[in-house]
Amino acid sequence: MDQFILALDQGTTSSRAIVFDKGGNIAAMAQHDFPQHYPRPGWVEHDPYDIWNSERTAAAEAIAGMAPGAIAGIGVTNQRETTILWDKNTGEPVYNAIVWQCRRTAELCEELKKEGLDERIQSTTGLLIDAYFSATKIRWILDNVPGVRQRAEKGEILFGTVETWLIWQLTGAHVTDVSNASRTMLFDIHRLCWDDELCGMLRIPHSILPRPVGNSEIYGYVKEGIPGLESLAGVPVCGAAGDQQSALFGQACFTAGQAKNTYGTGCFTLMNVGAAPVRSRAGLVCSVGWQVGGSTTYALEGSVFNGGSTIQWLRDEMGIIDSAPQINDLAAKVADTNGVVVVPAFTGLGAPYWDMYARGAVLGITRGTNRNHLARAVLQCIAFQVTDLMMAMRMDAGCDISTLKVDGGASVSDILLQMQADLLRINVDRPAMVETTAFGAAALAGLSCGLWKDLDEIAALRRSDAVFQPRRVQADTDAEYRLWKRAVGRAGDWIEH
Ligand code: ADP
């Protein structure tokens, strides 16, 4: 009988389930959105039951009509850092999930910085102190939800990020894969275990933490009688990774120097740096990419706050385009930006600048500047920012970047990807199958349940839709990149503080 893998892709705004066949093709897919809660400015929450029920329903729909026994294994990938605490005995969450975007613990993070914990935290966890990561979210729930700390100290409370919550619902196991664990700010990425001293400093009891596990092994078997998933009872849940690491794996970036970028609302660049963690000097973070078959691969990661959102700005606020795809039509009408540079520092600048006081700028405007130039400059500023990240990674890792594999909504733009190849002077490779995040989880699960035998077999499943090669003269693109750097300098430290 044909065998399939079910990937559960639990994202920030929707839960998806995709069934992959042995050829790595999509056999079935379902998706459910779920509510976002914003109880105060800057706070973001999800109901943990919405997360589980939307994922469960999507899975039930995706496997409807499949023969019993067709699913050989299940892989999970998820929005990272989002924090859930629940009662070990009743399963009842003690509070909503605090979502990665939530800034409620920013002040606590400032205190940790003042206490001088930056170095201690970066050297062990690979992360910079920030409210993104789970640690201060856990601490907030323990400190602010009545009775939870006492119950936690009695061993009655469990913590999990989203993969932990889903695997617990599916199988009853309380585990976290090491890629997700390395986004908590409590995990020692060198020794692959919880950092007890750090947990102590943050007053987080060890008893609530899940057991760290590899990314491709059996965590448990689906329980009997889960509504809609009855036919999956006994199927192993046998692969998991945080969404970005999963996409790196799904893009088959298996060797050091291979990188992927997701061109979404923001951009997420990850680079495989090999078997040892890298200490970033440029404000990037280092996480476990995956642990497969006993060997660990690390990844450097950087993100751009405003990528595709700059295209949305051009559409929604400036009214220069009616739809996102139209940006390509305008940009194609001109050969260059005519010297215009857009710096989309709407919310400040992240890596490698880390300037919260920068604001957006459009520079180099002349009397001849038109909307086509501006459209082209918007695409170019996305490519510039990803170039910044990749340059920083090259410096940090001390290794050359061989290829950039791409995905995400804006990666359909040929003009953008050609600009990227010209700036980086490497090939930029867009896959035919764009569900790379879900495929990563499927690949991890398929490896451990024997559907695929090794990484080579998985890499062979990936097909390119297009490979963009550097075409322009390097001196020209270098000059443009220098102009970008000057423009960033002008936009920097803009608002008064
Ligand atoms: P996210 O998952 O972050 O919400 P997506 O991966 O769906 O984002 O990507 C959405 C982004 O893709 C939008 O910001 C939009 O501007 C951009 N986009 C969509 N279609 C195109 C296109 N044809 N050309 C360029 N950009 C596009």
Side-chain angles (χ1 to χ4, degrees), residues 10-23:
Q10 206 302 307
T12 309
T13 56
S14 74
S15 294
R16 287 138 44 86
I18 303 185
V19 177
F20 289 95
D21 67 17
K22 195 168 159 47

Side-chain angles (χ1 to χ4, degrees), residues 13 262-266 307-312 315 324-328 379 407-413 416:
T13 56
T262 303
Y263 296 90
T265 309
S309 60
T310 320
I311 301 173
Q312 293 164 337
R315 182 191 64 195
Q326 208 196 346
I327 193 169
N328 302 298
L379 289 176
D407 49 45
S411 72
V412 300
S413 169
L416 170 61

